[in-house]
Amino acid sequence: MATIKDVARRAGVSVTTVSHVVNSTRHVSAEGRNRVEAAIRDLGYVPSAIARSLKSNHTRTLGMLIPNSSNPYFAEVVHSVENHCFGAGYNLILCNTHDDAHRQASYLQVLAERRVDGLIVVSTGQDATLARQLEGLSIPTVLVDREIEVPEQPCDLVETAHRDGGLLATRHLLWLGHRRIACIGGPQGLAPSEQRIAGWRDALAEAGIDAGGLLWHGDFTSQGGYEAMQAVLSSPQPPTAAFVGNDLMAIGALCAAHERGLRVPENLSIVGFDDIALAAFTSPPLTTVVQPKRQIGTAAVDMLLERIDNARQDRRQMLLQPELRLRASTAAVSAAAARPGPERASSAPSASPPSPPSPSTSPSPSA
C-alpha cells in the first residue's frame, strides 16, 4: 500500500506539500498540485483517516449501539439515523450488543479507540454501570429510547412517551367497550416496558377496573408474544382484548389467537406498539401505537452534532408524543366475545364505532 512518502517521491515534492494538497490546508501551485494528484492516481494512494483525525481531532464518524438488529423497530430507527448522518457528512459505525452488558462495554471501548466523534446508544436493559462508562469516555453521547436507571441522566436523551402510548392504546380498547383487557408487557425491569405497562394500568384505573391477574410478560420477540398469548388464552377467564408491548410480540399474539380458532377482532381485539412497517401487512392489519422513528433518529443526530460543534453544553431531554394508528385488529366488544369458552370462535362480527381522534405526533422538549 502506497504511503504519503511514496507520493512525495513520485511527485518530486515534500511530504508537507502532499499533505497540503490532500487536506487543502495551504495554497500549492497548479503545477505542484497536478504532479501530486497524478502521483496519487498512479500509486492508488488512500489518505489515512486516522492520521488526518489526529491533526483535525475529528473523524467525521459516529458510533451507534443497538440491542437487537433483528428487531424491525431498531432497524427503522437506524435507517433514519444513517440517512441524517450521511446528509451531515458523517459516517456511521453500527454495533449490535444483543442486549448483553459485557458486549456493550466492549463495543463502547472499541468505538472510543476508533476516535468516533459521538455516540448514539440504545442501552441494554441489564447494565447498571453504563452511566459511569459513558462519563469515563468523555465522548458526546445521546441515549435513544431507553433511559438509564440513575437519579440524573448522564447525557442527552431522545425517547417516546411510552407511558402515554400505553394509556392511548388501553383507552381505545375501553372506548370500544372492552373491560377485561390483558397486557403482554416486555421484559421486567426494562424502562420502556415498565412505562407502557404503567400506561395500561393508568387507563384501567381511570375506568375503575382492577388490573390484577391481567398482566403477562414476553421478551419483545414474536416467539415471546406467541407464548404469552397462549398463556393468556389458557387463563380461566380469557380477555376480550389485549394491549401488547411491541409489534413483534403482537404478531406472535395474532398467530396464537388464530391457532386457538379465534377471529381478530371479532373475538379478540389486539393493539401493538411501535408501528413497524410489517404492522400494516399482518392479518388483520395491526392497530398500534406509533413511535415517530424518523423523528427519533433525526433528533438524536441533531442533538449529537450540537454537542460536537460545541453549540450546546447543557444536557437536554426530548420527549416525543405517540399517536394511535387505527387498523383492523380492534373492534367493539360483542356479547359473544365477552363470554369465555369455545363459542367465542363462532361469534358474528360486530360493527366497530368510529374512533375518537388521536393526538398527533409532535416533539416536546422537557427540561
Side-chain angles (χ1 to χ4, degrees):
M1 181 179 294
T3 67
I4 192 170
K5 290 182 179 179
D6 297 328
V7 173
R9 192 177 302 114
R10 173 68 69 92
V13 299
S14 68
V15 169
T16 302
T17 299
V18 176
S19 177
H20 287 314
V21 171
V22 170
N23 298 302
S24 299
T25 51
R26 198 183 71 184
H27 173 73
V28 176
S29 68
E31 180 189 359
R33 178 176 291 277
N34 290 338
R35 290 208 310 270
V36 169
E37 290 175 347
I40 288 173
R41 288 194 299 270
D42 292 345
L43 296 173
Y45 170 67
V46 178
S48 168
I50 295 176
R52 294 167 71 180
S53 72
L54 291 172
K55 292 184 177 181
S56 66
N57 206 31
H58 288 288
T59 61
R60 308 293 294 182
T61 302
L62 305 180
M64 184 172 185
L65 272 63
I66 59 172
N68 184 355
S69 60
S70 65
N71 186 328
Y73 165 71
F74 295 124
E76 292 173 29
V77 172
V78 169
H79 180 73
S80 174
V81 167
E82 191 171 27
N83 278 348
H84 205 47
C85 282
F86 184 80
Y90 281 78
N91 297 310
L92 182 70
I93 299 176
L94 182 65
C95 299
N96 181 8
T97 66
H98 296 283
D99 255 326
D100 178 80
H102 176 72
R103 186 174 297 203
Q104 177 173 263
S106 177
Y107 278 143
L108 285 172
Q109 187 62 39
V110 168
L111 291 172
E113 292 172 357
R114 293 290 182 93
R115 297 177 60 84
V116 296
D117 295 333
L119 289 169
I120 297 173
V121 177
V122 185
S123 69
T124 70
Q126 306 295 329
D127 190 356
T129 67
L130 179 59
R132 189 168 64 253
Q133 293 172 28
L134 294 177
E135 289 175 346
L137 291 177
S138 299
I139 297 174
T141 303
V142 176
L143 292 172
V144 169
D145 190 64
R146 300 179 178 182
E147 303 172 18
I148 299 177
E149 296 298 321
V150 292
E152 183 179 357
Q153 298 301 307
C155 46
D156 294 337
L157 171 69
V158 179
E159 67 174 342
T160 302
H162 300 290
R163 188 167 189 153
D164 290 350
L167 193 64
L168 273 177
T170 312
R171 280 176 175 170
H172 170 64
L173 294 170
L174 289 164
W175 186 82
L176 290 172
H178 296 277
R179 289 298 177 268
R180 188 163 177 81
I181 302 170
C183 176
I184 298 177
Q188 297 184 58
L190 188 64
S193 172
E194 298 293 347
Q195 291 164 9
R196 293 170 197 178
I197 292 169
W200 164 76
R201 291 186 189 277
D202 290 345
L204 291 186
E206 286 177 353
I209 297 172
D210 183 7
L214 291 170
L215 175 62
W216 284 260
H217 285 278
D219 59 0
F220 278 160
T221 68
S222 294
Q223 181 67 31
Y226 172 84
E227 293 172 357
M229 182 56 80
Q230 291 282 14
V232 169
L233 297 176
S234 297
S235 60
Q237 289 184 287
T240 63
F243 165 52
V244 186
N246 78 339
D247 287 347
L248 276 185
M249 290 199 300
I251 290 170
L254 283 169
C255 181
H258 288 313
E259 282 190 5
R260 290 294 187 101
L262 298 177
R263 289 185 295 172
V264 176
E266 293 87 351
N267 310 129
L268 178 70
S269 286
I270 295 177
V271 180
F273 201 109
D274 286 342
D275 193 33
I276 60 176
L278 290 173
F281 301 96
T282 57
S283 180
L286 184 66
T287 293
T288 185
V289 176
V290 178
Q291 289 217 67
K293 296 174 286 295
R294 180 176 171 276
Q295 285 178 271
I296 290 171
T298 56
V301 174
D302 285 341
M303 291 170 73
L304 198 54
L305 296 182
E306 287 176 356
R307 289 279 200 166
I308 292 170
D309 296 337
N310 293 316
R312 175 175 54 84
Q313 299 297 326
D314 59 304
R315 293 172 185 165
R316 184 181 175 198
Q317 296 185 23
M318 181 177 285
L319 194 64
L320 299 171
Q321 292 301 317
E323 63 180 2
L324 189 65
R325 182 66 46 80
L326 297 178
R327 296 195 180 100
S329 67
T330 53
V333 67
S334 67
R339 294 194 299 268
E343 60 186 313
R344 289 174 54 189
S346 60
S347 63
S350 60
S352 175
S355 180
S358 58
S360 60
T361 307
S362 59
S364 175
S366 62

